[in-house]
Amino acid sequence: LVFFRIFAGLLLSVELLFSLSLGDLREYTHGGYHFHYQWFEWVKPFGETGMRAVYVAGIVAGVFVALGLFYRMMGALLFFSYTCLLLMEATQYVNHLY
């Protein structure tokens, strides 16, 4: 379980970091229309600063989960930041991200 925690935390952090560096932030902030999941229409993208904060929070939380620091709090933050990103834009869905 320790190795899974380390691997999962680092993998999610690296995925969010690459997603941020590839310009996925632009999909959330500069798109004219956003497709939402049914019953989650209320989850809307924040401004550019807010979306960058969600990405950074997810990256930091993933690293903390991998290190085992503040595990419960950072695990919850990682879950909510990653879920928030998935629910904000249905077109960003890729089956291996779940």
Side-chain angles (χ1 to χ4, degrees):
L1 287 175
V2 172
F3 293 115
F4 176 76
R5 172 184 53 87
I6 293 169
F7 181 72
L10 288 178
L11 186 66
L12 287 171
S13 290
V14 168
E15 192 276 326
L16 285 173
L17 186 62
F18 284 153
S19 177
L20 186 61
S21 68
L22 289 174
D24 284 351
L25 179 69
R26 196 170 174 79
E27 296 291 327
Y28 293 103
T29 58
H30 296 342
Y33 182 80
H34 299 284
F35 291 96
H36 299 284
Y37 289 103
Q38 187 177 12
W39 300 302
F40 291 101
E41 294 87 9
W42 54 274
V43 182
K44 305 252 187 245
F46 309 122
E48 187 169 346
T49 306
M51 291 306 298
R52 196 173 299 273
V54 170
Y55 269 101
V56 169
I59 293 167
V60 170
V63 170
F64 273 52
V65 164
L67 294 174
L69 302 172
F70 308 107
Y71 184 70
R72 290 182 184 177
M73 184 173 51
M74 290 298 138
L77 180 63
L78 180 61
F79 169 77
F80 285 120
S81 63
Y82 205 81
T83 302
C84 184
L85 289 171
L86 286 174
L87 292 177
M88 282 183 189
E89 184 64 54
T91 61
Q92 292 293 319
Y93 166 79
V94 178
N95 64 351
H96 65 273
L97 293 180
Y98 280 112

